[in-house]
Amino acid sequence: MKPIEYVTTVQGALGRTDFAAVSRAIEAFETAFREERQIFAFGNGASAALASHMATDAGKLLIADDGFGGRKRLRIQSLNDNCAWLTAIGNDIGYEAVFTEQLANFLRPKDLVIGISGSGGSPNVLRALEFAKSRGAMIIGFTSARPTAETMAGLCDVCLRVPLEMMEQIEDVHVIYHHIIVRGVYDAITGQAGR
């Protein structure tokens, strides 16, 4: 694929984005912030990197006011970032349980769970989403138009499906969706657009 074709395809996918779903994701983040709910993000490979990116951006940027001790913060973490725990679960229980077992320690009803899977078919992501649904969590999914994503889409309260099937392009658009969400939540809680 030529560079211009790659970029044009990504631009087209952005134009076909379900922005109503993106707006619902922003509202879910804002509710989690205001109600001091915990947010958990996770995925594999580049999706794991995006979960870390989400926790970094949202944790750093989404602060309601200034002053020591008076700053309300978003309670967000990536379940990919504790290597010792991740590998212990993977080795002792099984890789399909690496996210579910962590959620079992912390997840409470109405917490926000973000599963990221470009294919939509990652067994460990699907298992964690099933667990989160059984515990009354709000679920946002980042996935694609691949047929393998149908099960994942059915588990989500809000599903952000990139209308593409090439993994690199799916991952590009997922990052853009993330940035739209973080900036939207920032604007909603601070009233300071464009910082």
Side-chain angles (χ1 to χ4, degrees), residues 18-38:
D18 179 358
F19 286 105
V22 175
S23 294
R24 290 195 303 275
I26 292 169
E27 291 168 9
F29 266 77
E30 185 183 353
T31 298
F33 177 84
R34 296 199 187 283
E35 296 181 0
E36 299 183 1
R37 303 288 181 189
Q38 183 71 43

Side-chain angles (χ1 to χ4, degrees), residues 38-61:
Q38 183 71 43
I39 302 176
F40 303 95
F42 49 85
N44 299 291
S47 296
L50 180 55
S52 295
H53 187 168
M54 285 181 175
T56 300
D57 283 357
K60 175 182 151 294
L61 184 65

Side-chain angles (χ1 to χ4, degrees), residues 43-94:
N44 299 291
S47 296
L50 180 55
S52 295
H53 187 168
M54 285 181 175
T56 300
D57 283 357
K60 175 182 151 294
L61 184 65
L62 301 179
I63 300 170
D65 57 5
D66 41 12
F68 273 138
R71 305 176 93 174
K72 187 171 181 179
R73 297 176 183 265
L74 189 70
R75 300 177 65 231
I76 185 169
Q77 64 178 307
S78 164
L79 298 185
N80 304 107
D81 292 337
N82 186 329
C83 274
W85 200 1
L86 198 74
T87 55
I89 296 167
N91 185 66
D92 298 348
I93 301 171

Side-chain angles (χ1 to χ4, degrees), residues 72-127:
K72 187 171 181 179
R73 297 176 183 265
L74 189 70
R75 300 177 65 231
I76 185 169
Q77 64 178 307
S78 164
L79 298 185
N80 304 107
D81 292 337
N82 186 329
C83 274
W85 200 1
L86 198 74
T87 55
I89 296 167
N91 185 66
D92 298 348
I93 301 171
Y95 192 68
E96 71 283 352
V98 293
F99 305 130
T100 305
E101 287 297 312
Q102 292 183 72
L103 288 174
N105 280 46
F106 297 113
L107 186 67
R108 294 180 176 173
K110 298 186 181 179
D111 281 345
L112 180 56
V113 170
I114 303 166
I116 310 164
S117 174
S119 70
S122 303
N124 56 357
V125 172
L126 293 174
R127 184 169 173 178

